[in-house]
Amino acid sequence: MEREPSTQRWSMDEEDVSGDVRTVPHGRSLLSSSMVGSANRGRVLQTLFDLGPTSRAELARLAGVNRTTISGIVQPLLDQQVLVEGNPIRPSEAGGKPARPLWFSPDARPICGMMLMPDAVHTCLVTLAGTISAEHSVRFPVENPRIADIESAIETCTSRTLASARREPLGIGVAVGGMVDTDRRAIIAVNLAPVLNGFELGDMLTRRYGLPALLDHHPRALLVGDRWFGKGRGMQNFAAVYTGEVLGGALYLGGHLYRGRSGAGGELGHTFVQVDGEVCSCGRRGCWETIATVGWLRRQARAIGLDTPDEINSRRLVALAGAGVPGARDLLDLYARNVAVGIANLQQTVAPNFYVLHGDVVGGGEIMAEAIAGHVRALVPSRSGGEISFAIGETEDRAALLGAAGLVLSELLQFPL
Ligand SMILES: [Zn+2]
């Protein structure tokens, strides 16, 4: 399915961003004929993101625009230092003029990525090529934190990161470890830090820094990071699944991130896998989160008498299983199966067929991924053309920060979300 940027507000010009994007940082407008130039530009840039460094001729062909149009799009982006031309590469043996691949300039305006967790905030700058720099993190007070303390921690952290930016960032993207109203750019609920409930973080950041600010639920940000900078590059259908102290996921279907109304969709951790099962952090019973988190793993490790059960995670479990520690291999298999149960439901419902695994299971590497894949394949009836594949995502913080930056990028490119 061909993707079309649906609106026009793509601009890397400082003036345009301060005027247009900043005043309506999350609004939407329809494509009109006078904006087609911009739509082409969005498509060209998106093609570049999907393919990596690419020559003009190839880019024009794949984005479906002619050579004159591509020059009209590329030249201003080169002038604005959004793109750079690399060293000439030899074309095929047929000869011809050596092509110079285009790619995102390290001097382009960066994006500020933020990860907000129940106990800390983490910020960085991300280049359009996906390089992370200027990372800072600040922990929140543990004993009865007040919202003012958290606001000031966020401000300290963000200001340190922004001080390193050589050019004004394009915006601030935030991955929130909790429920988010993406339209209001506010936090709805963070089970592990209720003081954040109702916090209008997007408005606070825009007010304080004068930059567009976008929020999304942490697993959805992971997926956006995969789509722009990671294993989901160029994909039309895939899902991101995160396991850790909580469990979550996000879906990308037919070239669109599926958010649901006001961002209410994708609460995969709270889909039911066991009728009348254990009580979940959400207060209901039998959620997927009750059988496939690190908390569950710790309880099981204690029950079977593993040493230091409180330190168990996928990385350690794989090592213990490899060393032949009694019970470890079975526990690994059970954990993998419990993760697979939710994925199998997802596969049967919407069939993304490609899953990027995030969070704790990343530490278990290929062994963990293979164990999960094996169970999913056993749980889902096989059908021709329906191969299910798995990839291991970036390490935890990196994945979330790239994802947070990706939220801003999606908005700038008017990527259909
Ligand atoms: Zn639940």
Side-chain angles (χ1 to χ4, degrees), residues 191 267 269-272 278-290:
N191 287 342
E267 290 287 345
H270 302 288
T271 56
F272 301 117
E278 285 181 57
V279 175
C280 179
S281 63
C282 72
R284 284 166 282 264
R285 283 181 178 275
C287 297
W288 187 13
E289 194 168 295
T290 62

Side-chain angles (χ1 to χ4, degrees), residues 10 55 84 96 122 143 158-159 193 199 213 243 294 304 373 376-377:
W10 164 264
S55 72
V84 279
H122 194 155
E143 292 296 315
T158 312
S159 298
F199 181 34
T243 62
V294 181
I304 64 168
V376 172
R377 290 180 189 127

Side-chain angles (χ1 to χ4, degrees), residues 54-68:
T54 308
S55 72
R56 277 170 216 240
E58 192 66 358
L59 207 49
R61 189 176 70 77
L62 292 161
V65 300
N66 65 35
R67 294 293 290 270
T68 315

